[in-house]
Amino acid sequence: MKRFFSGWSLIKLYTLVVYVWMFTPIVAVVLLAFNPQQFGSFPMEGFSFKWFVKLSHNSTILDAFKNSLVLGSLTAVFSTAIGVPAAMAFIRYDFRGKDFLNTLLIAPIMIPEVVLGVALLLFIRWLQQPKSFALLLIGHVVLTLPYVLLIVQARLVGIKKEYEEAALSLGANPFQTFMDITLPLLAPAILAGMLFAFTISFDDVTATLFWASAQNQTVPVKIFGMLRNSISPEINALGAVMIVLTVSTPLLAGYLTRRFAKRK
């Protein structure tokens, strides 16, 4: 019993060390964003929003932030528009090639982003098409579609088909059945899928490096470019904003999903 307790104590200690190792740099970036000095040091000599104000006047960063917001929003919309009907088809109907098509749509989640980025870039080059915002949007939809598909499929499996059959037997047509029965029950999963798709798109840097042009750079790509030149305190401020957005969005998705589920 003593050895068992000692073993679990070591596991807990190891887990704590891993979490400290992972989150200490993130906490350091957020804290240094409020450091009034040019060069970061601990303990900090004061507290200031100086770098956030300077960041708000940086037109290049603001353009990249706008690109990220627009790209993330469009990615979430298109991924959801494709993922929901696809999930309905895979779960509710049987047709030839269903398993192959389902695997094909989910495959990007299993492929390294570097490989996916290079592959799509080479394909576009083969088509002799230049880099554009449309290419960037297509790439992000390919990246995020598997997440929407899996989330909606998992929710759809838990919805009994008898509910839809009962509505059809009472005179509702398939569209009315979907709008009045299926869609309200799927709403938490659809919302969660949209928010996760937005977060993944907004935060992606590996694949976006291959697809983004000079006019369509996103915030993560801009941060990467700034780090290659010099380490500016503005990067800490921008990193703090990114951390807040990328952490709060999934938390908001989880909260809204649970709230909708309780209502239903």
Side-chain angles (χ1 to χ4, degrees), residues 9-35:
S9 298
L10 291 175
I11 292 175
K12 292 178 181 179
L13 179 61
Y14 176 76
T15 304
L16 178 63
V17 171
V18 170
Y19 274 106
V20 171
W21 179 265
M22 289 173 58
F23 289 105
T24 297
I26 298 175
V27 174
V29 168
V30 175
L31 290 177
L32 289 174
F34 300 97
N35 185 14

Side-chain angles (χ1 to χ4, degrees), residues 35-57:
N35 185 14
Q37 303 300 322
Q38 176 74 24
F39 301 100
S41 61
F42 288 101
M44 297 190 306
E45 299 177 2
F47 185 89
S48 174
F49 291 95
K50 171 183 176 181
W51 304 115
F52 290 94
V53 175
K54 191 173 181 180
L55 185 67
S56 65
H57 292 89

